Amino acid sequence: MSRTKIMAGNWKMNQTVNEITTFFSQLEKEKSSFKCEAWISPQAIHLQLVKELGNKLGIKVGPQNCCNKNSGAFTGELSPLSIKDMGATFVIIGHSERRTIYKESDAVLNEKTLLALDNNLKVVFCVGETLEEREGNLTEKVLETQLTQGLKNLPKAKEKDLVIAYEPVWAIGTGKNATPAQARDAHAFIRNFLVKQGLDAQNLSILYGGSVKPDNVVELLAQDGIDGALVGGASLKASDYIKLCQACSK
Ligand code: PGA
């Protein structure tokens, strides 16, 4: 079993050019202490800058979304072909903010995932239940649906390029992280479900996301089956992101 440890920062719609330059100059001093993979997902307009600054430190870059088409008349969209072409490594697909605010359906997310993989990008595919769904005992059902629909027709050869992020919607940006036991159980459920679906899920990295911070990351990452994290707020400050990467390197 060999699962890659990943600390992925999802910057969402934040960071200026100045803040990004400062972030990387602070990171440069500590990068040698990282043994995990460090991935950063900036706004699309900053992909090139983050790629240049990140490359020197071995940090990988990728956007927070992509189109379900490679080219054509799709104003405002981001082509997976162009994402690969500019040197990005991965793309985040199915983040709850895309599902909820932009009404992205499981079917569209499936198209995006297959096309991104076809362009030799890695995909961080996000799943997670709302508070209402958790309280209604629907967590497993929701995860099953998101995984079944979103990963439909996944080519066997592309399984190695897939990363799952389990992000309970109620924990995102709320300061209320899942307990380590809740996260561990959800990760185990996801892995077992994918094994049943015929995937080589023992080798698949599953990241936890939702209010991960330097003061809760150690306990979360100590759980069986949690292979890293997808972090929003706490990834914006270099000092916090450094601590997160160091915790993930143990
Ligand atoms: P958060 O965001 O760490 O700010 O909760 C996580 C995410 O949305 O990926």
Side-chain angles (χ1 to χ4, degrees):
M1 183 177 71
S2 65
R3 294 208 292 265
T4 312
K5 298 265 181 204
I6 304 167
M7 186 50 66
N10 172 13
W11 283 355
K12 309 194 180 182
M13 204 169 69
N14 296 297
Q15 304 288 58
T16 61
V17 168
N18 230 333
E19 286 166 341
I20 293 171
T21 319
T22 310
F23 180 95
F24 279 98
S25 64
Q26 290 173 354
L27 221 60
E28 199 166 353
K29 299 175 200 129
E30 303 287 344
K31 178 62 182 55
S32 58
S33 61
F34 300 179
K35 287 191 194 67
C36 67
E37 296 229 349
W39 293 11
I40 294 285
S41 193
Q43 298 183 69
I45 197 170
H46 295 140
L47 282 168
Q48 187 65 32
L49 174 65
V50 171
K51 187 191 86 173
E52 280 160 21
L53 296 171
N55 256 358
K56 294 184 219 147
L57 306 179
I59 291 170
K60 299 194 168 124
V61 67
Q64 302 160 12
N65 177 32
C66 71
C67 188
N68 57 346
K69 300 280 188 295
N70 269 337
S71 64
F74 302 100
T75 303
E77 285 292 325
L78 196 60
S79 150
L81 180 70
S82 307
I83 294 167
K84 182 66 187 177
D85 186 46
M86 67 74 58
T89 306
F90 69 94
V91 55
I92 299 174
I93 293 179
H95 189 278
S96 77
E97 286 147 21
R98 300 298 316 174
R99 291 178 186 266
T100 314
I101 306 171
Y102 299 100
K103 310 275 179 271
E104 293 189 2
S105 66
D106 288 318
V108 164
L109 295 175
N110 180 239
E111 290 175 10
K112 292 184 178 202
T113 300
L114 297 185
L115 191 59
L117 291 169
D118 189 54
N119 279 288
N120 297 318
L121 288 161
K122 292 186 185 293
V123 168
V124 180
F125 187 77
C126 304
V127 294
E129 79 289 357
T130 62
L131 186 58
E132 207 180 7
E133 288 161 347
R134 176 163 282 268
E135 287 174 350
N137 273 329
L138 293 170
T139 300
E140 295 186 353
K141 194 167 179 306
V142 168
L143 295 177
E144 267 186 34
T145 306
Q146 291 175 341
L147 292 166
T148 312
Q149 306 288 318
L151 302 178
K152 209 160 155 180
N153 300 326
L154 181 83
K156 194 83 197 147
K158 293 291 178 185
E159 285 179 19
K160 63 174 186 3
D161 293 327
L162 182 71
V163 173
I164 302 288
Y166 168 63
E167 299 203 305
V169 180
W170 47 273
I172 296 177
T174 57
K176 189 173 184 283
N177 62 286
T179 63
Q182 283 172 325
R184 181 200 59 213
D185 291 352
H187 281 232
F189 175 79
I190 291 168
R191 202 178 302 282
N192 289 335
F193 180 72
L194 292 176
V195 168
K196 275 193 255 153
Q197 300 288 103
L199 272 82
D200 180 18
Q202 295 306 342
N203 290 311
L204 180 98
S205 298
I206 306 183
L207 316 182
Y208 168 77
S211 295
V212 175
K213 304 210 163 31
D215 62 7
N216 61 22
V217 70
V218 174
E219 211 186 343
L220 284 162
L221 293 181
Q223 305 304 310
D224 230 23
I226 303 189
D227 308 308
L230 178 58
V231 186
S235 72
L236 294 169
K237 254 177 63 191
S239 56
D240 283 349
Y241 185 65
I242 289 164
K243 286 184 196 143
L244 296 172
C245 287
Q246 288 169 339
C248 195
S249 300
K250 289 193 178 122

